[in-house]
Amino acid sequence: MSAYILSGAMIPMGKHTNASYAGLAVPPVRRAIRESGLSRADIGAVYCGHAFGGMLTGQRIVKDLGIGGVPVVNIDNACSGGASAVQAACQAVEAGIVDVALVIGVDKLTQFGGGTLPLVTEDWEVRQGMVMPALYAMRARRYLHERDATPADLAAVAVKARRHGMTNPFAQIRKAATVEEVLASRVICDPLTLFQCCPTGDGAAALVVVSEGRFRRLGKSGLRVRASVLHSGTATTGFRDMLRPEITYHSAAEAYEVAEVDPKDLDLVELHDAFTIAELVYYEALGLCKPGHSAALLRSGATSQGGRTVVNPSGGLLAKGHPVGCSGVAQVVEAFWHLTDQAGARQIPNARLALTHVTGGGISGLDHGACTVHIFERAS
Amino acid sequence: MSAYILSGAMIPMGKHTNASYAGLAVPPVRRAIRESGLSRADIGAVYCGHAFGGMLTGQRIVKDLGIGGVPVVNIDNACSGGASAVQAACQAVEAGIVDVALVIGVDKLTQFGGGTLPLVTEDWEVRQGMVMPALYAMRARRYLHERDATPADLAAVAVKARRHGMTNPFAQIRKAATVEEVLASRVICDPLTLFQCCPTGDGAAALVVVSEGRFRRLGKSGLRVRASVLHSGTATTGFRDMLRPEITYHSAAEAYEVAEVDPKDLDLVELHDAFTIAELVYYEALGLCKPGHSAALLRSGATSQGGRTVVNPSGGLLAKGHPVGCSGVAQVVEAFWHLTDQAGARQIPNARLALTHVTGGGISGLDHGACTVHIFERAS
Amino acid sequence: MDTHDKPAGERPDDTMPNLDLGETERLVARTPLGEHTVMGGECGDCSARMAPSRPVCPNCGGTNIHPAALDSLGTLYSFSVVHVSATREVPYTIGYVDLPKNVRVLAAIDGDPAELRCDQVVRLVPDTGDGWRFAPASVEEKDMR
Amino acid sequence: MDTHDKPAGERPDDTMPNLDLGETERLVARTPLGEHTVMGGECGDCSARMAPSRPVCPNCGGTNIHPAALDSLGTLYSFSVVHVSATREVPYTIGYVDLPKNVRVLAAIDGDPAELRCDQVVRLVPDTGDGWRFAPASVEEKDMR
Ligand SMILES: [Zn+2]
Ligand SMILES: [Zn+2]
């Protein structure tokens, strides 16, 4: 028995300094419940993904709506926190443990006042000076070393992200940029420039996930969850190919197998483009192209709006924004809108299959700490 | 199909300033896996409860043991974080999602350098000066106002906890105290004194949870999970009876119903005695006595070592210690030792049924943010 | 074009965050007679009262909440003198005050803690800073209740 | 009485925490010839090497790890000049250095960043503080490899 996404909502991503975690998340939670056609009393469990919310983030949100007495589970998995909450909800619904689950993804990065995100200082590499952009910058450097690609190919990812973001009123950045402007923006971690890094911001998104029985009885349109996969990274003390992130290869392969879906059949993908290089590397890891062909795929236009498999129609993390624990849920909301024909100007016509992917967390010895891949199908 | 606890281990609770989260948790995880008779490769998923570990706590622990590639879910639910991880593991195993799950509970409170725990400053009551001991102190004051009880009754809880803790080499405090000494210790939040508050410390505990099929095939002794319940609190903007914490009443009632167990049949209870008053209030909420009879129950000796239902044979949070996210898992390890006849000098003879209870998190409008109740039965 | 004609994916106005931090809320009001009262909110749908006010009613989930001057006299449910804090000077006294029509507020409590009792009548102290302060009420005030 | 005669609930010695913080690890060693080398660990069970050393082997899960002097020459896998940091002065350069027998270390990289290249040979800089520093190796050193 599959789980189904019945509704979804998010706030416009941005710097909402005067909003608390509840202030951020309550509006999309209310809207998701309202649009689901269900009521507060139908919610059987709450799964709240976040990275920096502090204690009892989910409870602080839902108590303001009068939701209580049900299990509320707060899940942190770095950038995969929101998607891990989606996964936990889907599992619980599929297993029949709960009939209607509310999923929240939320984070408020403006609380840190700028700069790179705080990493865990217990980690050896963090003590050696590692920051997230540096990890991706080393990937980018190696990519330029091994592949037939130039810094302009990296910049082209940001150009596409911003072009897509211009049509998304929920995006934090809605301003176009040329390759030259991207490359001329200030250097963050060489070779990555400012426009190649996701902006700092706040966000919240919510989903209502229901059982197949409930979905059929309600007779609404929604998304069937074809695959919901979470993996942690595998540690090594030795060599690691930074262009072949095993955690995403592993998670994607399992998702395609579970869903019985071929990457070629995907209409849209929302993937983890926290930095430009990430999108190129993940084209390959997600099987959108063969290893070594990612720059060519981007240049072909196949992943741009109008192409065969549109990647990050929302603008992605680079333009829509990346409030860490929110992102995995916001990706699903974007997929929801496309697969239910509610995406407006950026609608991908007749979109039927969508994949969302989020991974992250810098820990020495791992690609990343956690990776989540979901595959959704239009259902009614 | 029930879930089973196959093994458990913990570190001695205390101030382990020079240990990282991995440094705290790796030793009990290794021992729990070793004593389960299984190997690292058998672990199908990891559930890590914590409150203050920061990003990817579980991954930082298990990667040091070479465990990777499986789902690792980090759960924070204030004092119920560890028990929420137990609950998530039991659910996944019961639903057949995973056959062998590793549960970790860990926290390092010495990172804060003393004082009361950091609460979430977004909360209105926290901004008004609320701290956790004050919440319990108000409960204590009201208890003394409404019930036929004196400060000496409160102190007697600490006296019992310390007496129990003396026989537990894993306890942070192993020194007895008299009622007079408890009352004479310095005032933390009037009427609660220092010896009536759990100490600040670091801890880690681990469990291996397996399916019924796996348990039968292995033919070892262990614990059958009879009930695993998690609830959040229900908010009110008005009156609340602080002596009837609805969240624990609600969770306990559901646990007894699911387990088909009568409180009278319990051989031991590990309950959330973060402060002395808590134990008395929870006697009533857990149905160990009728409302209003908690002080009499304590005075009767029925909850002391040798009594009918021994409460907190480990010394409880007051003596064993309360490293927030660790506690819910450490309680289960204590129950495991008693129900498998491995508790040594503090063994409760022929213990067959145990209940563990942990609740916490100060949020305005709620009793507590989360509450978890588990009931276990000796199995072989 | 009305915003509701737009598809969900183009309607951010519907889900703007609640800006509940930052500005200091107005916590105390004055009645026409010049008396100070606790300022809170009342739900227009279910009549639930709350202090401080909030964007959504925890009782019915509605957003039809308007500011409401509550009361200045209440009952001290319980209290504690706090002797440890990482963030403020100690000791200080806080307590739960129950106001008429089922509103509970956490407030600073003035007066000699040794003289405070559960269930005694307390009155709002007008010159509040960023929270509420209550103090034991006079004998006449108790009679008024 | 041997500790293993005791029941599990009385054997805390078995699960003492690993004290992996606090003390600065010894990160650089000297060979008998006076050469500086990276100091790490080697697993006595599976021969996996690691730097820094750690209490448990991530490869085989064993604890039979002894200190091992690794190497001073390695290959620069990739690197970046960091221009933003909340905690330290910028810019600084870090990179992954691959040492013989499958050990990768993150290290500070000295020298003009414009002259650095992936896959070039780098040598440990002896006077390390609380981490490792590497710099491009001389032509002769490259030939040695
Ligand atoms: Zn209402
Ligand atoms: Zn080994």
Side-chain angles (χ1 to χ4, degrees):
Chain A
M1 301 288 274
S2 295
Y4 286 76
I5 311 293
L6 192 56
S7 63
M10 70 175 97
I11 61 168
M13 308 290 140
K15 294 184 193 294
H16 305 297
T17 317
N18 286 340
S20 70
Y21 270 76
L24 294 171
V26 161
V29 168
R30 285 190 84 238
R31 180 163 147 191
I33 293 174
R34 192 173 69 235
E35 297 194 350
S36 74
L38 300 172
S39 78
R40 296 181 301 164
D42 293 310
I43 307 292
V46 178
Y47 297 88
C48 177
H50 72 101
F52 302 109
M55 281 201 288
L56 301 169
T57 304
Q59 283 90 336
R60 277 151 46 209
I61 294 163
V62 299
K63 70 140 176 157
D64 269 10
L65 288 157
I67 295 173
V70 297
V72 176
V73 181
N74 297 291
I75 297 179
D76 59 287
N77 242 341
C79 304
S80 280
S84 296
V86 175
Q87 204 250 359
C90 291
Q91 267 194 356
V93 165
E94 285 168 10
I97 294 165
V98 62
D99 201 42
V100 180
L102 172 67
V103 178
I104 303 169
V106 58
D107 254 320
K108 181 174 165 69
L109 304 190
T110 57
Q111 69 183 299
F112 301 116
T116 57
L117 284 183
L119 296 182
V120 173
T121 53
E122 287 187 352
D123 186 84
W124 167 252
E125 290 190 350
V126 172
R127 297 210 298 276
Q128 289 276 80
M130 181 66 96
V131 290
M132 287 311 291
L135 185 71
Y136 283 95
M138 286 194 277
R139 251 179 218 163
R141 166 108 41 211
R142 192 73 201 181
Y143 187 89
L144 296 176
H145 178 72
E146 289 191 25
R147 299 290 163 80
D148 183 20
T150 68
D153 289 308
L154 294 176
V157 173
V159 171
K160 170 176 83 67
R162 285 170 166 247
R163 195 170 61 236
H164 286 183
M166 284 177 70
T167 64
N168 180 4
F170 293 85
Q172 181 165 351
I173 296 175
R174 294 192 294 276
K175 192 166 179 293
T178 63
V179 165
E180 293 68 33
E181 286 167 336
V182 171
L183 292 176
S185 63
R186 72 184 168 90
V187 178
I188 298 297
C189 287
D190 180 39
L192 297 180
T193 57
L194 181 66
F195 287 15
Q196 300 191 57
C197 306
C198 56
T200 294
D202 310 320
L207 298 167
V208 173
V209 182
V210 299
S211 67
E212 185 152 350
R214 176 77 71 151
F215 183 75
R216 297 280 167 234
R217 282 199 302 282
L218 286 166
K220 291 171 61 101
S221 58
L223 273 55
R224 179 175 164 215
V225 181
R226 292 283 298 265
S228 177
V229 172
L230 166 67
H231 284 296
S232 63
T234 300
T236 175
T237 53
F239 177 78
R240 176 181 292 285
D241 183 344
M242 292 186 88
L243 306 188
R244 289 188 63 84
E246 55 88 14
I247 188 171
T248 291
Y249 272 90
H250 180 192
S251 304
E254 186 176 320
Y256 289 129
E257 190 187 324
V258 170
E260 298 180 324
V261 161
D262 190 287
K264 284 190 199 64
D265 300 328
L266 296 171
D267 298 294
L268 71 139
V269 171
E270 284 277 319
L271 61 72
H272 189 91
D273 62 329
F275 301 90
T276 49
I277 178 63
E279 177 154 332
L280 295 169
V281 168
Y282 294 139
Y283 282 171
E284 303 180 10
L286 295 174
L288 302 181
C289 66
K290 276 184 241 152
H293 290 65
S294 46
L297 180 69
L298 176 65
R299 289 182 209 127
S300 78
T303 58
S304 294
Q305 189 60 267
R308 194 189 65 215
T309 304
V310 186
V311 173
N312 294 337
S314 69
L317 310 185
L318 284 170
K320 191 192 64 198
H322 182 30
V324 183
C326 165
S327 293
V329 181
Q331 288 178 331
V332 181
V333 174
E334 179 73 12
F336 181 84
W337 284 334
H338 285 281
L339 299 187
T340 57
D341 296 324
Q342 298 184 83
R346 67 189 185 283
Q347 176 70 41
I348 297 163
N350 306 312
R352 192 180 69 86
L353 278 172
L355 180 146
T356 63
H357 158 263
V358 65
T359 182
I363 305 181
S364 39
L366 297 180
D367 273 335
H368 286 297
C371 177
T372 329
V373 174
H374 283 84
I375 297 177
F376 303 99
E377 182 182 13
R378 177 190 289 253
S380 56
Chain B
M1 300 289 275
S2 295
Y4 286 75
I5 312 291
L6 192 57
S7 62
M10 69 174 97
I11 61 168
M13 307 290 140
K15 295 185 193 292
H16 305 297
T17 317
N18 286 341
S20 70
Y21 270 75
L24 294 170
V26 161
V29 167
R30 284 191 83 238
R31 180 162 145 190
I33 293 175
R34 193 174 68 234
E35 296 193 353
S36 74
L38 300 173
S39 76
R40 296 181 300 164
D42 293 310
I43 306 292
V46 178
Y47 297 88
C48 177
H50 73 102
F52 301 109
M55 282 201 288
L56 300 170
T57 304
Q59 283 90 336
R60 275 152 47 209
I61 293 163
V62 300
K63 69 141 179 157
D64 270 10
L65 288 157
I67 296 174
V70 297
V72 176
V73 181
N74 297 292
I75 297 180
D76 60 287
N77 243 342
C79 304
S80 280
S84 295
V86 175
Q87 203 249 2
C90 290
Q91 266 195 356
V93 166
E94 284 168 13
I97 294 165
V98 61
D99 201 43
V100 180
L102 172 68
V103 178
I104 304 168
V106 58
D107 253 322
K108 181 174 166 68
L109 304 191
T110 56
Q111 69 183 298
F112 301 116
T116 57
L117 283 183
L119 296 182
V120 173
T121 53
E122 288 187 352
D123 187 83
W124 168 251
E125 291 190 349
V126 172
R127 297 210 297 275
Q128 288 277 81
M130 181 66 96
V131 289
M132 287 311 290
L135 184 70
Y136 283 94
M138 286 194 278
R139 252 180 218 163
R141 166 112 35 215
R142 193 72 202 181
Y143 186 88
L144 297 176
H145 177 73
E146 289 191 27
R147 300 288 163 81
D148 182 21
T150 67
D153 289 308
L154 294 176
V157 173
V159 170
K160 172 175 82 68
R162 285 170 167 246
R163 195 172 59 236
H164 286 182
M166 284 176 70
T167 64
N168 180 4
F170 292 85
Q172 181 166 354
I173 296 175
R174 293 192 295 275
K175 191 166 180 292
T178 63
V179 164
E180 293 67 34
E181 286 167 337
V182 171
L183 293 176
S185 63
R186 72 184 166 90
V187 177
I188 299 298
C189 286
D190 180 39
L192 297 180
T193 56
L194 181 65
F195 288 16
Q196 301 190 56
C197 307
C198 56
T200 295
D202 310 320
L207 297 167
V208 174
V209 182
V210 299
S211 67
E212 186 153 347
R214 177 77 69 148
F215 183 75
R216 296 281 167 235
R217 281 198 303 281
L218 287 166
K220 292 171 60 101
S221 57
L223 272 55
R224 179 176 164 213
V225 182
R226 292 283 298 265
S228 176
V229 172
L230 165 68
H231 283 296
S232 64
T234 300
T236 175
T237 54
F239 177 79
R240 176 182 293 285
D241 183 345
M242 291 186 86
L243 307 187
R244 290 188 61 85
E246 55 88 15
I247 188 171
T248 291
Y249 272 89
H250 181 193
S251 304
E254 185 176 320
Y256 289 129
E257 191 188 325
V258 169
E260 298 180 324
V261 161
D262 190 287
K264 284 190 200 63
D265 299 329
L266 295 171
D267 298 293
L268 72 140
V269 171
E270 285 276 320
L271 62 72
H272 189 89
D273 62 329
F275 302 90
T276 50
I277 178 62
E279 177 153 333
L280 295 169
V281 167
Y282 294 138
Y283 282 172
E284 303 180 10
L286 295 174
L288 303 181
C289 66
K290 276 184 243 152
H293 290 66
S294 46
L297 180 69
L298 175 65
R299 290 182 209 127
S300 78
T303 58
S304 293
Q305 189 61 267
R308 194 188 67 214
T309 303
V310 187
V311 174
N312 293 338
S314 69
L317 310 184
L318 285 170
K320 192 192 63 199
H322 182 29
V324 182
C326 165
S327 293
V329 181
Q331 288 177 332
V332 181
V333 174
E334 179 72 12
F336 181 85
W337 285 334
H338 285 280
L339 298 187
T340 55
D341 296 322
Q342 298 183 83
R346 67 188 184 284
Q347 176 70 41
I348 296 163
N350 305 313
R352 191 181 69 85
L353 277 173
L355 180 146
T356 63
H357 159 261
V358 65
T359 181
I363 305 181
S364 40
L366 297 179
D367 274 335
H368 286 296
C371 177
T372 329
V373 174
H374 284 84
I375 297 177
F376 302 99
E377 182 183 12
R378 176 191 290 253
S380 56
Chain C
M1 185 168 106
D2 179 43
T3 180
H4 275 73
D5 295 339
K6 291 190 184 174
E10 292 197 327
R11 271 192 287 122
D13 296 349
D14 235 24
T15 48
M16 294 306 291
N18 295 324
L19 304 181
D20 52 356
L21 296 177
E23 286 175 59
T24 305
E25 289 117 306
R26 199 166 149 247
L27 294 166
V28 173
R30 271 184 171 231
T31 65
L33 295 172
E35 197 187 35
H36 291 86
T37 63
V38 168
M39 195 64 201
E42 184 171 292
C43 177
D45 296 327
C46 75
S47 301
R49 291 176 148 214
M50 60 204 80
S53 191
R54 52 189 74 189
V56 184
C57 173
N59 189 47
C60 74
T63 54
N64 181 18
I65 294 168
H66 49 82
L70 304 182
D71 292 84
S72 60
L73 279 180
T75 305
L76 185 62
Y77 177 74
S78 193
F79 62 96
S80 176
V81 186
V82 179
H83 290 267
V84 288
S85 168
T87 55
R88 60 176 75 190
E89 242 183 274
V90 293
Y92 61 90
T93 305
I94 54 175
Y96 277 127
V97 176
D98 287 332
L99 301 175
K101 298 194 186 160
N102 200 26
V103 179
R104 174 170 288 183
V105 297
L106 184 72
I109 308 296
D110 288 351
D112 179 358
E115 301 293 313
L116 297 174
R117 297 286 176 270
C118 290
D119 290 341
Q120 81 178 115
V121 179
V122 288
R123 164 178 280 291
L124 182 68
V125 179
D127 56 334
T128 60
D130 52 356
W132 294 294
R133 307 191 71 81
F134 282 77
S138 64
V139 175
E140 308 82 62
E141 286 172 337
K142 287 177 198 172
D143 290 345
M144 276 167 52
R145 279 175 57 88
Chain D
M1 183 168 109
D2 180 41
T3 181
H4 276 74
D5 294 339
K6 291 190 183 174
E10 292 197 326
R11 270 194 284 123
D13 297 349
D14 234 23
T15 48
M16 295 305 291
N18 296 324
L19 303 181
D20 51 356
L21 296 177
E23 286 174 59
T24 305
E25 289 118 308
R26 201 166 147 245
L27 294 166
V28 173
R30 271 185 170 230
T31 64
L33 295 173
E35 198 187 37
H36 291 87
T37 62
V38 168
M39 194 64 202
E42 186 171 290
C43 177
D45 295 327
C46 75
S47 301
R49 291 178 149 213
M50 62 204 79
S53 191
R54 51 189 74 190
V56 184
C57 172
N59 189 46
C60 73
T63 55
N64 179 21
I65 294 169
H66 49 83
L70 305 182
D71 292 84
S72 59
L73 279 180
T75 306
L76 185 62
Y77 177 72
S78 193
F79 62 96
S80 176
V81 186
V82 179
H83 290 267
V84 289
S85 169
T87 55
R88 60 177 74 189
E89 242 183 275
V90 292
Y92 60 90
T93 306
I94 54 175
Y96 278 127
V97 175
D98 287 332
L99 301 175
K101 297 194 188 161
N102 201 26
V103 179
R104 173 170 289 184
V105 297
L106 185 73
I109 307 295
D110 288 350
D112 179 358
E115 301 293 314
L116 296 174
R117 297 283 175 271
C118 290
D119 291 341
Q120 81 178 116
V121 179
V122 287
R123 163 177 281 291
L124 182 68
V125 179
D127 57 334
T128 60
D130 53 356
W132 294 293
R133 307 191 71 82
F134 282 77
S138 64
V139 174
E140 307 82 62
E141 286 171 339
K142 287 179 199 171
D143 291 343
M144 274 168 55
R145 278 176 57 88

